Amino acid sequence: MTQILRINRDNYQEDELLPAVKVLKMGGLVAFPTETVYGLGANALDATAATKIYAAKGRPSDNPLIVHINSPEDIKDLAEEIPDAAWQLAKHFWPGPLTMVLKKQDKIPSETCGGLETVGIRCPEDKIARDLIRISGVYIAAPSANLSGKPSPTMAEHVIHDMDGRIDMIIDGGGATLGLESTIIDLTCNPPMLLRPGFITLSMLQNVIGDVKVDPVVTTRKPDPSLKPKAPGMKYRHYAPEGNLTIVEGEEDKVIQKINNLMQTEVSLGKQVGVITTSEHQNAYKVGKVFVIGDREHEESIASHLFAILRELDVEHIDVIYAESFLDMELGQAIMNRLLKAAGYHVIQAEE
Ligand code: TXA
Ligand code: MG
């Protein structure tokens, strides 16, 4: 039985979190909200508890978990050989949506880190997440609280859909505001390397610590088996809806025309079709179901709705989906990175 603990994030007493604290202390699994996406938490220093996370998600055992801390100083307790850059980044971006990969101390079991000698650490900003870590006194290992391969959950309903019956407790604290997982930077190499783009963009990192390289896996437009991502999770198929998703690139008008034509053809074949677009173009589509993901003026709105829309496509049983593409820079880099994975890197040009 999975217990649901409802917490009103704008008005709650700390002791309302005690049932979740108890589960964590006893080595159980608690899903909880963070500002990025919901996490599936367990005691990071308890190998047995960490192992349960992999089982609940169906996650490959070589894919390490992110360890969540309450105070930036906690990295001294978990990591070794901490470079100056880590403290600078912590000062600028913690608490917040940034994960730093550092050399791990022996006290972190290898199960937590997917067998690596390094550990990913994040100090989240979300109040419920912070309270949970602080009150329990537990460093919380937490991947996103979705079944492996599914879009990360941005609402408790998504977690309930994937995890009901598989974990001890779900804290329903409302929606995750940012909606994309944290930026990951590896500080064990020189220069540091961006492993996963997110709200903290490449240029924001470079402004603080100077030179930062980008893992080629992040920028690739084709799945390339010879590229071995440094974040093991980036190699797995992810976020894909059940229907066939294609990204259409090109000039605005041509993209709209192309998608309209393609949808018309699919509809005549009896398929359920849909388009992922923005508020600017929502009236431009003549057939198919229109999924408005946000507006181009406010890229954060696109980021915060992407995963929910990918899940909605399945709920609506859409067979064939076309998505407009987004500018591949700053926050757009994170959006396109997730969208490309969801589409299995299937991109066509409107002009073709
Ligand atoms: O925003 C987030 O980061 C959310 C919330 C819950 O904090 N968590 C999250 O975790 O997205 P997950 O497990 O879905 O993604 C973690 C990614 C994976 O791609 C994993 O391979 C990578 O981080 N990672 C974790 N530890 C690592 C390490 N030591 N070295 C390289 N990559 C690591
Ligand atoms: Mg994940």
Side-chain angles (χ1 to χ4, degrees), residues 37 57 59 63 143-146 150 152 181 196 238-239:
V37 299
K57 277 182 65 95
R59 182 179 179 101
N63 192 1
S144 48
N146 51 283
K150 292 287 170 203
S152 300
E181 311 91 337
R196 180 173 73 181
H238 220 183
Y239 315 130

Side-chain angles (χ1 to χ4, degrees), residues 34 36-39 57 59 63-66 68 99 101 116 118-120 122 142-144 180-182 184 195-196 230-234:
T34 84
T36 57
V37 299
Y38 271 75
K57 277 182 65 95
R59 182 179 179 101
N63 192 1
L65 312 174
I66 292 175
H68 296 70
T99 296
V101 173
L116 299 179
T118 56
V119 57
R122 177 161 104 83
S144 48
L180 292 183
E181 311 91 337
S182 62
I184 304 179
L195 306 189
R196 180 173 73 181
K230 289 191 73 185
M234 298 290 274

Side-chain angles (χ1 to χ4, degrees), residues 237-241 243 245 306 310 337-345:
R237 190 178 146 84
H238 220 183
Y239 315 130
L245 172 60
L306 176 60
L310 290 173
N337 172 264
R338 308 307 194 276
L339 194 58
L340 280 161
K341 281 169 150 265
Y345 295 90

Side-chain angles (χ1 to χ4, degrees), residues 100-118:
M100 296 195 224
V101 173
L102 296 164
K103 190 160 185 293
K104 82 173 185 74
Q105 286 188 22
D106 288 341
K107 66 159 78 88
I108 309 179
S110 94
E111 284 82 354
T112 299
C113 298
L116 299 179
E117 288 306 310
T118 56

